[in-house]
């Protein structure tokens, strides 16, 4: 039976500009191709789930402004249920200023309403969740609220996936509440200076069942008790890596909700993320199921 996906996290309007290199302190330089598009790690992951056909619910907060309206409309357009997203008066929606240089991005966030998310928002989102459903979260909201939400999801017997981005020093306290941790090399190194094998073993010893280290163009490594499986990245010409990690997490969750094994879901997520990096922007670059099927055969 298909499971539902519940995403708890951030919504941002992304303000994107390309630049040939980074300006020095006090320097002004010209960029090109400015555009805005809906983003935020939570919303990106929810959009990926929705576009890939999962029954998806999102919880979080936006401000009572035009960015907030656009962010909500974007999610609804992908079939995501937004009933648990709170609109906060007198507060701006989250924004991300994104500088894209040679296919890589640098992001400055003003969290706005994302910083005002509360435990009650998580409770509201989880009202419709049941045993075996997937709970997916990140760290662009207050870490203690995310920790509360993970514990609440665990109590309901959900499968809890944490993408600890951006990394937060306090996250270690909550790691035993997740079943799967999906993180990149920078985030992994911020949890300890050990090798992949030793670092993953430490995480598994906390009770985490699956540790997935994403390696960008080089693919990913999946560690479970007694086994490490690494897979190559799907070769593509990268234009903009924004939301590649979010697409990976969303596609993984959607695929697990469909009943796929973790191994199958990871392979699917790898293909979905590869398509995202071939296009500019966050939510506008996330593929549909049909696109992934047409290009890679599912
Ligand atoms: O992961 C990409 C996202 O990070 C962007 O959409 C931006 O909003 C930031 O939250």
């Amino acid at each position: 039976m298909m499971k539902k996906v519940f995403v708890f996290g951030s919504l941002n309007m992304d303000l994107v500009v390309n630049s040939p290199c980074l300006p020095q302190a006090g320097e002004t330089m010209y960029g090109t191709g400015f555009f805005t598009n809906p983003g935020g790690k939570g919303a990106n992951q929810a959009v990926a789930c929705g576009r890939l056909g999962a029954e998806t619910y999102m919880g979080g907060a936006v401000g009572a402004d035009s960015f907030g309206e656009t962010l909500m409309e974007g999610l609804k357009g992908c079939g995501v249920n937004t009933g648990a997203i709170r609109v906060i008066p007198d507060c701006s929606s989250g924004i991300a200023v994104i500088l894209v240089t040679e296919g890589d991005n640098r992001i400055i966030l003003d969290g706005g309403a994302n910083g005002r998310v509360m435990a009650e928002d998580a409770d509201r989102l989880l009202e419709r969740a049941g045993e075996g459903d997937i709970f997916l979260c990140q760290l662009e909201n207050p870490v203690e609220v995310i920790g509360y939400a993970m514990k609440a999801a665990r109590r309901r017997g959900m499968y809890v996936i944490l993408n600890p981005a951006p990394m937060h020093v306090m996250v270690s306290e909550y790691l035993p509440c997740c079943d799967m941790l999906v993180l990149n090399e920078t985030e992994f190194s911020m949890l300890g200076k050990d090798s992949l094998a030793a670092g993953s073993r430490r995480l598994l010893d906390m009770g985490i069942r699956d540790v997935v280290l994403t390696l960008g163009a080089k693919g990913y490594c999946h560690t479970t008790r007694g086994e490490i499986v690494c897979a190559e990245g799907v070769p593509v010409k990268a234009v903009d890596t924004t939301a590649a990690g979010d697409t990976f997490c969303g596609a993984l969750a959607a695929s697990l909700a469909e009943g796929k094994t973790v191994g199958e879901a990871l392979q699917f997520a790898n293909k979905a993320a590869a398509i995202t990096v071939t296009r500019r922007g966050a939510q506008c670059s996330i593929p549909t199921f049909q696109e992934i099927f047409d290009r890679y055969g599912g």
Side-chain angles (χ1 to χ4, degrees):
M1 199 181 84
M2 293 274 277
K3 298 293 183 188
K4 299 179 199 137
V5 182
F6 293 79
V7 182
F8 189 54
S10 58
L11 303 94
N12 298 323
M13 184 55 75
D14 289 356
L15 316 177
V16 189
V17 67
N18 287 332
S19 121
C21 58
L22 296 177
Q24 301 296 312
E27 182 187 5
T28 300
M29 63 190 294
Y30 282 100
T32 53
F34 173 76
F35 77 117
T36 59
N37 85 116
K41 294 189 193 304
N44 295 345
Q45 295 181 12
V47 162
C49 293
R51 286 210 180 125
L52 297 173
E55 185 176 339
T56 310
Y57 297 77
M58 177 161 186
V62 292
D65 53 20
S66 64
F67 284 166
E69 282 169 24
T70 308
L71 290 165
M72 295 281 253
E73 288 314 312
L75 286 166
K76 286 180 195 156
C78 298
V80 176
N81 184 308
T82 58
I85 298 176
R86 190 158 51 96
V87 179
I88 306 181
D90 305 321
C91 180
S92 56
S93 294
I95 61 107
V97 177
I98 303 184
L99 195 61
V100 181
T101 308
E102 288 172 354
D104 245 325
N105 64 54
R106 288 171 176 79
I107 303 179
I108 300 174
L109 286 177
D110 180 345
N114 296 305
R116 305 255 299 260
V117 161
M118 301 185 300
E120 289 76 3
D121 296 312
D123 290 337
R124 194 143 60 99
L125 172 67
L126 294 178
E127 271 166 16
R128 294 168 77 172
E131 197 173 342
D133 285 339
I134 313 283
F135 180 76
L136 175 60
C137 57
Q138 331 70 34
L139 295 180
E140 283 186 341
N141 302 99
V143 67
E144 62 282 359
V145 179
I146 297 296
Y148 169 90
M150 291 202 296
K151 284 183 190 161
R154 257 298 183 82
R155 274 198 302 277
R156 286 176 179 264
M158 299 174 79
Y159 184 80
V160 176
I161 307 175
L162 171 66
N163 171 220
M167 182 51 83
H168 191 288
V169 280
M170 293 296 291
V171 76
S172 305
E173 202 178 307
Y174 305 106
L175 292 179
C177 304
C178 63
D179 295 291
M180 176 184 272
L181 193 65
V182 184
L183 72 182
N184 66 24
E185 291 167 284
T186 310
E187 290 146 7
F188 189 83
S189 71
M190 287 167 83
L191 284 180
K193 294 289 168 215
D194 13 23
S195 65
L196 170 63
S200 301
R201 201 175 322 113
R202 199 164 37 78
L203 293 167
L204 296 175
D205 285 344
M206 291 180 183
I208 301 172
R209 275 153 55 182
D210 299 280
V211 177
V212 180
L213 180 65
T214 56
L215 304 167
K218 293 182 271 134
Y220 63 85
C221 285
H222 170 214
T223 312
T224 50
R225 207 154 271 293
E227 198 183 28
I228 301 187
V229 176
C230 294
E232 302 268 306
V234 177
V236 285
K237 183 172 167 7
V239 171
D240 176 6
T241 56
T242 307
D246 299 331
T247 305
F248 189 95
C249 292
L252 177 58
S255 198
L256 290 173
E258 210 191 312
K260 296 284 194 292
T261 64
V262 174
E264 291 166 339
L266 286 168
Q267 285 175 25
F268 180 69
N270 208 21
K271 295 172 190 165
I275 295 180
T276 293
V277 304
T278 64
R279 304 195 272 241
R280 293 185 72 208
Q283 285 168 34
C284 55
S285 71
I286 297 172
T288 59
F289 181 82
Q290 194 59 45
E291 268 181 283
I292 301 170
F293 187 80
D294 289 347
R295 206 177 292 194
Y296 300 115

